Amino acid sequence: MYLNISEQELIDQNAFATAKEISQQPNSWRKTLQALEPKKALIHDFISTFLSFDNGRVVLTGAGTSAFAGRALAPYFTGHLKRRIDAVATTDIVTDPAEYFAENCPTLLVSFARSGNSPESVAAVELASQILDNCYHLVITCNEQGRLYQRAKDDARSLALLMPAETNDVSFAMTSSLTSMMVACLHALLPEKFDMARFEALSTACESMLTASIGVIRDIAALNAQKVIYLGSGSLQGVAQESALKLLELTAGKLLVSFDSPVGFRHGPKSVVDETSLIVVFISNDPYTRQYDLDLLKELRADNQALRVVALTTDVDSVVAEGDYVKIPDFPGADDATLAFPFLMFAQIYAFTRSLNLGIGPDNPCPSGEVNRVVQGVNIYPFIN
């Protein structure tokens, strides 16, 4: 049984793989850390070599969901590593590499890739090495047979981190692949802060969520929302973007889905809100940022225009308690990078449940083939410096 649904029922609804991969995440994070433990010294030496450059730049990249891993982590890394960290999708790099790599400084390209075979992911790595004089590659992938992993094995300036085999999701949408790669990246770049003890607490909290919060999430998914808006500040804006994509993917584009920051939402996008709208606000645990999140939460509720406004939080204060909320259990004091994981799981479970409610098989929501698990049909053109 996964997500409180029997295996046979999941198989009948073409939903077994997605449910299993959502549910396995806490244990997959443990396995990810265990797999990286023997490489601890190698990872430290590789990262330390790059960080020794005073003018070094880190670029977090990937396509689709893998790109949003970078968007969710870049602001956090910038604040803690105190250096330039950019999140740039491979789909942007391949179309205009001269601009994204215009500054010929020492660069660490961190590539997130479930399969490691997406044309843009492979091309971005090659373009970076072609254009930049001093380029290092950290490849974080779930597929040992993928082109990115195989390339890294033969490159002295590359290091590949392989996730547990189970995270190479067989379902259409990335779930355990995404979060396991994020775990690996946090551990690689901030090993003292994101150690095994911290991830054990995270895994335990999310396991509690898989039991304690399923009913609440199902009740929210039962609402006939035709517009779903995710809002998050800082790193949580990247989480909001991935949450929106997950819902769009698993419901085969049947819903109007968007994301923004709480402050940015007022500047035009808020006009989309009507009686069919569900708004989910990811509440930051940073005391300063949280003030802005709560201000908009109060405003949206006072407007009384949306079908429902739901706050996701670990701390239920008086403002949150005035309306609908989902409390992340057993997880007080988590910072926003850690909050990303239960927030993403909420979005995955909500998208999965909405997909079932709409009669769509989450494992393959687009059986006609217009959208594929690994993108096809992309032409990569030669680039001349």
Side-chain angles (χ1 to χ4, degrees):
M1 178 176 287
Y2 298 106
L3 303 179
N4 291 345
I5 305 173
S6 72
E7 292 191 13
Q8 188 57 56
E9 187 176 355
L10 289 168
I11 291 169
D12 291 344
Q13 296 182 82
N14 195 20
F16 177 79
T18 307
K20 177 180 181 295
E21 288 157 5
I22 291 172
S23 301
Q24 75 188 11
Q25 288 175 102
N27 203 42
S28 294
W29 305 335
R30 295 185 180 102
K31 291 182 179 180
T32 295
L33 269 293
Q34 291 167 2
L36 296 182
E37 185 64 22
K39 295 185 175 181
K40 190 173 182 179
L42 181 63
I43 295 169
H44 176 269
D45 291 345
F46 181 82
I47 299 298
S48 296
T49 297
F50 172 77
L51 293 180
S52 66
F53 300 111
D54 292 335
N55 63 333
R57 176 193 185 198
V58 179
V59 177
L60 306 177
T61 194
T65 286
S66 295
F68 303 153
R71 284 213 62 192
L73 295 177
Y76 188 85
F77 280 141
T78 299
H80 286 77
L81 292 174
K82 308 300 182 185
R83 62 174 56 234
R84 182 180 174 189
I85 315 284
D86 297 315
V88 185
T90 58
T91 48
D92 293 328
I93 290 173
V94 298
T95 55
D96 201 351
E99 291 194 356
Y100 288 108
F101 294 138
E103 185 180 354
N104 193 3
C105 60
T107 299
L108 173 63
L109 190 72
V110 181
S111 296
F112 297 98
R114 174 170 64 175
S115 72
N117 287 322
S118 295
E120 304 97 330
S121 296
V122 177
V125 167
E126 299 295 348
L127 285 165
S129 292
Q130 174 186 340
I131 296 170
L132 300 169
D133 293 333
N134 196 3
C135 187
Y136 293 76
H137 295 280
L138 178 62
V139 174
I140 304 178
T141 183
C142 307
N143 182 15
E144 187 173 9
Q145 303 305 316
R147 292 169 62 191
L148 280 187
Y149 186 82
Q150 293 299 319
R151 179 195 181 280
K153 292 196 306 182
D154 300 322
D155 182 9
R157 290 191 176 183
S158 295
L159 176 64
L161 304 181
L162 183 64
M163 303 301 96
E166 70 197 40
T167 69
N168 189 12
D169 300 326
V170 299
S171 59
F172 176 82
M174 291 176 61
T175 54
S176 66
S177 53
L178 165 68
T179 56
S180 296
M181 290 191 292
M182 290 173 63
V183 164
C185 191
L186 284 164
H187 182 63
L189 295 182
L190 293 170
E192 295 182 359
K193 190 172 183 65
F194 288 91
D195 56 11
M196 296 189 75
R198 181 163 189 172
F199 280 118
E200 180 56 38
L202 168 65
S203 298
T204 300
C206 288
E207 283 171 338
S208 296
M209 182 180 172
L210 282 169
T211 55
S213 301
I214 291 292
V216 176
I217 300 172
R218 280 185 176 168
D219 289 343
I220 297 170
L223 298 169
N224 189 27
Q226 297 303 303
K227 301 176 182 179
V228 181
I229 303 134
Y230 285 100
L231 302 175
S233 300
S235 294
L236 296 179
Q237 186 176 1
V239 174
Q241 186 173 17
E242 163 58 15
S243 298
L245 175 65
K246 205 55 51 199
L247 182 59
L248 190 70
E249 289 178 324
L250 290 186
T251 60
K254 302 297 184 186
L255 305 177
L256 177 62
V257 185
S258 62
F259 77 97
D260 210 321
S261 69
V263 175
F265 189 58
R266 291 188 180 97
H267 292 261
K270 189 182 173 189
S271 60
V272 76
V273 177
D274 61 18
E275 69 279 2
T276 70
S277 303
L278 168 67
I279 305 174
V280 179
V281 185
F282 294 138
I283 305 294
S284 172
N285 266 358
D286 180 273
Y288 183 79
T289 305
R290 186 181 181 90
Q291 300 172 100
Y292 291 97
D293 296 344
L294 294 178
D295 279 353
L296 186 71
L297 181 66
K298 289 189 290 186
E299 179 180 316
L300 291 169
R301 287 171 171 172
D303 289 342
N304 199 29
Q305 295 296 308
L307 173 66
R308 196 70 58 89
V309 180
V310 178
L312 258 66
T313 184
T314 62
D315 181 16
V316 181
D317 56 24
S318 59
V319 175
V320 170
E322 289 176 356
D324 295 294
Y325 65 86
V326 177
K327 184 181 185 298
I328 307 302
D330 306 322
F331 212 33
D335 64 16
D336 286 358
T338 316
L339 278 182
F341 294 89
F343 286 179
L344 284 168
M345 284 186 62
F346 166 90
Q348 293 166 358
I349 297 167
Y350 174 78
F352 172 85
T353 309
R354 282 305 305 268
S355 179
L356 291 182
N357 291 348
L358 291 169
I360 298 169
D363 287 355
N364 186 18
C366 191
S368 55
E370 290 88 353
V371 184
N372 299 282
R373 179 178 176 275
V374 179
V375 168
Q376 302 174 12
V378 179
N379 293 318
I380 301 296
Y381 299 98
F383 177 76
I384 308 299
N385 291 50

